[in-house]
Amino acid sequence: MCSQELYKIDLKALKDEATSLAFDLSDDFFAALDGSQLEHGALHVSVSIRKMTGFFELLFHTVGTVTVSCDRCLDDMEQPIDTENRLLVKLGDTYSEDDDTVTIAEDEGVLDASWFVYEFIMLAIPIKHVHAPGKCNQAMTQKLEELSGAARSSEEEAEAVDPRWGALLKLKETSKM
């Protein structure tokens, strides 16, 4: 099991103006997060922290892959992730999040970056994820085509208009004259 302590950054302990951290994320990271929609992935996260007057600027660079379900055939597929995100953190009285600024309690001074990293990864995944053309599960694709409305038998095409609507069509035609 992955310890979430690895992703806690003690901002008050930072001495230098610039600090670099690195995290390697695996399946254990996603399993340790409550409510995670992802289960599998292999990612590398580089964090650059700049200590400035009154706040900290954190730059996250995340590279790797996560496993998601294909929207078309439902098989697992590798989704590449390459994203850069910025987070501003300042010390204050209580914890709060406003836009891209997070305020953490000054007496603690520790930022748990795990959920922010997870959110950055989720935002990098496209809304629609499908395999490259020809890579979907052929059996599922064939079944989908059979069950779709576009694949109609010749009987259904011959009976194009429901006979119950025939009387209404006659009325429509006579009203045009």
Side-chain angles (χ1 to χ4, degrees):
M1 198 68 179
C2 176
S3 170
Q4 294 303 97
E5 293 297 317
L6 295 172
Y7 310 105
K8 291 188 177 181
I9 303 169
D10 188 357
L11 297 174
K12 288 176 72 175
L14 296 177
K15 303 284 187 219
D16 301 324
E17 288 183 5
T19 304
S20 295
L21 301 172
F23 308 115
D24 287 316
L25 310 180
S26 64
D27 297 349
D28 295 337
F29 171 78
F30 299 109
L33 288 175
D34 290 334
S36 174
Q37 295 175 359
L38 294 175
E39 295 178 5
H40 306 289
L43 299 125
H44 179 76
V45 181
S46 302
V47 184
S48 173
I49 306 169
R50 287 189 337 171
K51 187 175 182 178
M52 302 176 140
T53 334
F55 65 94
F56 299 87
E57 180 185 47
L58 285 78
L59 301 173
F60 294 84
H61 182 241
T62 307
V63 162
T65 59
V66 292
T67 304
V68 294
S69 294
C70 175
D71 291 338
R72 193 174 297 138
C73 71
L74 303 179
D75 278 356
D76 285 345
M77 62 175 275
E78 295 287 318
Q79 178 65 54
I81 301 292
D82 189 355
T83 183
E84 292 193 21
N85 303 91
R86 178 177 179 248
L87 183 67
L88 295 177
V89 180
K90 62 182 181 177
L91 302 175
D93 296 331
T94 59
Y95 182 87
S96 69
E97 292 183 32
D98 301 312
D99 295 327
D100 67 342
T101 303
V102 175
T103 304
I104 58 173
E106 191 166 1
D107 57 333
E108 259 186 57
V110 176
L111 174 71
D112 184 358
S114 59
W115 194 255
F116 293 107
V117 169
Y118 172 75
E119 286 179 347
F120 295 149
I121 293 167
M122 289 300 291
L123 289 171
I125 298 173
I127 292 174
K128 184 177 180 181
H129 24 86
V130 294
H131 284 105
K135 300 290 183 183
C136 276
N137 180 331
Q138 291 299 321
M140 183 64 88
T141 304
Q142 183 179 9
K143 191 67 169 173
L144 183 64
E145 287 173 5
E146 289 173 11
L147 297 174
S148 73
R152 294 187 176 183
S153 68
S154 59
E155 295 178 4
E156 293 177 66
E157 289 176 14
E159 189 182 329
V161 177
D162 188 339
R164 295 174 286 181
W165 293 101
L168 289 174
L169 286 174
K170 287 180 185 175
L171 282 173
K172 184 178 173 183
E173 290 172 7
T174 56
S175 66
K176 289 182 182 177
M177 291 182 179

